[in-house]
Amino acid sequence: MAKKTVATLHTGKTDGRGFTRVIKMERSPKTGAYVFNTKMVPNEEVKGFFKN
């Protein structure tokens, strides 16, 4: 039963596959500690996220 459910989720829509979770480590200006900035961005904008 579980195999059928998972298989039906992958067919048709590819909405989830068009996005990537990116994690960027930045230094906090207030405390100086490292902060992790996490976002879901479209696959085409991944390189742009890391350039900023």
Side-chain angles (χ1 to χ4, degrees), residues 11-52:
T11 58
K13 295 185 177 183
T14 58
D15 294 333
R17 295 180 190 178
F19 288 90
T20 304
R21 174 179 276 178
V22 290
I23 302 170
K24 189 176 189 180
M25 189 170 65
E26 299 173 342
R27 199 169 272 271
S28 172
K30 190 184 248 185
T31 62
Y34 285 104
V35 177
F36 294 97
N37 186 4
T38 306
K39 287 188 179 180
M40 294 292 288
V41 297
N43 290 338
E44 297 83 25
E45 298 177 13
V46 172
K47 290 184 181 180
F49 175 80
F50 288 111
K51 285 187 179 182
N52 294 336

